[in-house]
Amino acid sequence: MGSPRWKRLCLLLLVAMAFSVILYGRYYTATDASTAPRSASSLLQQEILEIPQEIRNHGLFRENIIKRENSVKDSSEGEHVNHSKEQSSLCPRSLKFKVKMDATFGKQFDFGVPLLMWQKHFTPETWDALQKRNVPYGWRGLSYAVVKSAVQLLNDTGNRQLFSKNKFPNSCVRCAVVGNGGILNGSHQGKEIDAHDMVFRLNGAVIKGFEEDVGTKTSFYGFTVNTMKNSLIAYAEYGFTRTPQDKGIQYIFIPSDIRDYIMLRSAILGIPVPEGNDKGDEPQKYFGSETAAGRFKLLHPEFIFYLTEKFLKSEIINSQFGHLYMPSTGAIMLLTALHSCDQVSAYGFITENYRIFSDHYYEQEKKPLVFYANHDMLLEAELWKSLHRTGIMKLYQR
């Protein structure tokens, strides 16, 4: 009788062990599933759910999310995006963290708004949406053929972002934006400016003779065709006889008129301007002989609209000069850097004591700052002061 009883005990023991193995396996499968990194598509879906309905329904926002999803799907087709590396190299002292912690700016900043316009953004939906607003905020009244012919040339991966953070692994990308304000005359900030990873300059950026104050490094040169050409005329006597053309410089077009699209197209194709106010002009005079599409950036009209609505919505808009108003070139460049870099320092921008400095740092005799009807410099001054006070950026002051 002992033998059958022993067999039954062994059978019960085996059954118990089998149940234990099954339960053990289910527990750890569930645990691994809950703690494993989520896929890129699931993260994108969560981001959409956390954004207000009225923004999610906006055509340009939907387009941006679709492009981001497609970039993940297309990573195996030549444009490999190393998401783990991108995440691991995030700057722990990034201005994005300070923005998030600030009650006011946390609501104003939207790092999801498309910064640059490039080939894949030119869709029927985008055209219809931007046709509702005038330049620089849209394409109302502009030639479809002209805009399309320019944007479709922006087909390089370099046209979709200002720079890749993969070039700065495990570090904070530090950017200096250099305005042309008189506060820089005698400032001795040149070495500090050049020590940044990226340096933005704009309009009449005179360097020769002022290296000690403004440095020599230029990564990006920002302009509208109008401000660039006017600067070459107005500041030639101070030494601004050509735009920065050092090796590696990239050019940021601010699309304020149809002529910006025409000039951009000619610059990429390396041909004289075929029509408009600049007909016959040769782009290589301004951008050198290198015509690679990746050297040229075009700010997205939606981005300029967002900057104006969220940060610089001036009362001028409701005046007789409202149709002329837009943020200054310097303001657009500084806000572009604030939406791209980890740390930003601004030099040569308007401060509270602007009256004691000349309009520009390269003027031999002091000239007062000129206020034009198409910009609101005092509103910009308040914005820079607030961003500096909260630590989101550093504003050079004296």
Side-chain angles (χ1 to χ4, degrees), residues 14-32:
L14 287 172
V15 171
M17 289 177 65
F19 274 108
S20 297
V21 170
I22 293 170
L23 291 173
Y24 182 89
R26 288 185 176 180
Y27 172 78
Y28 276 95
T29 300
T31 303
D32 289 344

Side-chain angles (χ1 to χ4, degrees), residues 9 14 80 137 145 339 354 357:
L9 287 174
L14 287 172
H80 298 284
Y137 314 113
H339 284 75
Y354 69 89
F357 304 109

